[in-house]
């Protein structure tokens, strides 16, 4: 039991993504801050660790008919999945959400001035996410794929211009932290994406999409921080 309490939040979710629902219920950040142990989180947020652990065990011991074991995937497949699923999602939804939030500011901004701050935060995040994903697609992800291919061919890995894979990973994780902070502020400003009583259909749809966008971002960051990046560092060490 004590060993499990010293297990990191991210490793629980890497083992079974259904545990993310438990951490979300307790407002525990499992993606950007997944490197904290269960004990550390419980102490900081005044949560009973035995109760939290029981909730987690209930999920882990239940039958999982729909789970995907991302932890068992080869890294090149994981990279392709992240690009084609999460990067494309961000690109597609950003266009629509930008239009909706602009409209909300024009129609409801006078009565709900917090919308301007939400729009500002989302716009800044969208721009930084676009740059972030491009760096992954052009620099980090190709190197991870090269490591996988080199290992398969029993070849010699040439050192990249950035020195070690830990360098771009550290930058990506820092940028993930920034996005986590940004969306915590957006969630606070929107009362956890709850539209006001005078909200029109566009208002409700925009908030629902914003909530979905944050949830997808959590999955996206979790796959990178808690699985892909850790395994990329381990793989690189095999060439030393």
């Amino acid at each position: 039991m004590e060993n499990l309490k010293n297990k990191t939040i991210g490793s629980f979710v890497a083992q079974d993504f259904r545990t993310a629902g438990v951490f979300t219920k307790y407002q525990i950040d499992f993606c950007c801050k997944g490197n904290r142990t269960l004990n550390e989180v419980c102490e900081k947020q005044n949560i009973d660790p035995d109760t939290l652990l029981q909730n987690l065990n209930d999920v882990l011991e239940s039958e999982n008919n729909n789970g995907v074991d991302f932890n068992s995937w080869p890294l090149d497949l994981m990279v392709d999945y992240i690009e084609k699923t999460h990067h494309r999602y961000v690109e597609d939804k950003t266009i629509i959400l930008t239009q909706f939030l602009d409209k909300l500011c024009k129609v409801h901004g006078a009565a709900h001035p917090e919308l301007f701050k939400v729009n500002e935060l989302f716009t800044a995040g969208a721009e930084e996410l676009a740059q972030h994903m491009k760096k992954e697609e052009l620099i980090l992800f190709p190197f991870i794929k090269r490591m996988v291919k080199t290992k398969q061919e029993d070849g010699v890995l040439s050192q990249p211009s950035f020195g070690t894979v830990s360098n771009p990973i550290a930058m990506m994780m820092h940028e993930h932290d920034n996005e986590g902070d940004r969306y915590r502020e957006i969630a606070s400003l929107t009362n956890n994406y709850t539209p006001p009583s005078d909200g029109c259909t566009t208002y409700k749809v925009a908030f629902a999409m914003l909530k979905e966008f944050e949830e997808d971002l959590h999955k996206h960051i979790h796959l990178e921080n808690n699985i892909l990046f850790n395994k990329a560092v381990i793989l690189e060490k095999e060439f030393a």
Side-chain angles (χ1 to χ4, degrees):
M1 184 74 79
E2 280 304 315
N3 286 340
L4 287 176
K5 291 178 183 177
N6 289 317
K7 186 174 176 177
T8 64
I9 301 302
S11 61
F12 274 103
V13 185
Q15 177 185 346
D16 190 328
F17 190 74
R18 294 177 301 161
T19 59
V22 176
F23 292 124
T24 299
K25 182 178 76 171
Y26 284 92
Q27 297 184 321
I28 296 170
D29 183 351
F30 63 85
C31 55
C32 296
K33 298 183 179 179
N35 61 337
R36 299 172 298 164
T37 67
L38 188 143
N39 262 336
E40 289 171 341
V41 170
C42 287
E43 184 176 348
K44 183 173 183 179
Q45 297 185 211
N46 196 26
I47 299 169
D48 176 27
D50 291 323
T51 301
L52 177 56
L53 192 55
Q54 184 57 56
N55 289 172
L56 291 167
N57 283 333
D58 289 343
V59 170
L60 292 170
E61 292 171 4
S62 65
E63 187 175 357
N64 184 9
N65 296 320
N66 301 310
V68 178
D69 185 13
F70 290 108
N71 211 28
S72 67
W73 282 21
L75 297 191
D76 51 351
L77 177 60
M78 177 79 73
V79 163
D80 286 341
Y81 175 83
I82 290 171
E83 281 194 39
K84 291 179 173 60
T85 302
H86 295 293
H87 285 200
R88 286 184 183 177
Y89 176 90
V90 171
E91 292 166 357
D92 293 343
K93 297 300 182 181
T94 292
I95 298 171
I96 302 170
L97 270 168
T98 298
Q99 295 172 348
F100 280 3
L101 291 174
D102 284 345
K103 183 177 180 180
L104 288 186
C105 287
K106 291 176 183 176
V107 177
H108 296 277
H112 299 282
E114 71 277 2
L115 287 170
F116 293 104
K117 184 61 177 178
V118 171
N119 196 11
E120 176 188 326
L121 287 166
F122 179 80
T123 300
E127 292 175 356
E128 291 187 20
L129 272 174
Q131 296 174 16
H132 172 90
M133 293 188 302
K134 193 58 65 179
K135 284 184 284 190
E136 288 183 334
E137 292 170 9
L138 296 178
I139 300 170
L140 179 56
F141 287 178
F143 180 67
I144 292 175
K145 283 185 166 184
R146 180 151 63 88
M147 286 198 295
V148 172
K149 188 170 187 289
T150 303
K151 182 180 178 181
Q152 289 171 342
E153 297 174 348
D154 198 23
V156 177
L157 183 69
S158 57
Q159 189 176 42
S161 59
F162 46 74
T164 172
V165 74
S166 296
N167 292 329
I169 282 176
M171 179 183 293
M172 296 302 103
M173 291 183 72
H174 173 70
E175 292 175 0
H176 287 168
D177 286 345
N178 290 342
E179 290 310 307
D181 292 341
R182 197 188 317 273
Y183 277 87
R184 273 187 286 276
E185 186 173 359
I186 290 176
S188 176
L189 287 166
T190 59
N191 190 24
N192 284 320
Y193 308 103
T194 305
S197 56
D198 61 338
C200 63
T201 300
T202 300
Y203 214 128
K204 295 172 183 176
V205 171
F207 273 32
M209 286 184 65
L210 263 179
K211 182 179 180 181
E212 181 190 79
F213 192 95
E214 183 189 27
E215 289 170 350
D216 184 83
L217 195 61
H218 284 170
K219 294 176 184 177
H220 179 176
I221 293 173
H222 157 67
L223 289 177
E224 293 184 356
N225 279 17
N226 298 325
I227 302 179
L228 179 66
F229 293 168
N230 289 338
K231 292 193 171 188
V233 170
I234 292 170
L235 178 58
E236 185 184 50
K237 289 178 181 177
E238 294 180 17
F239 293 100

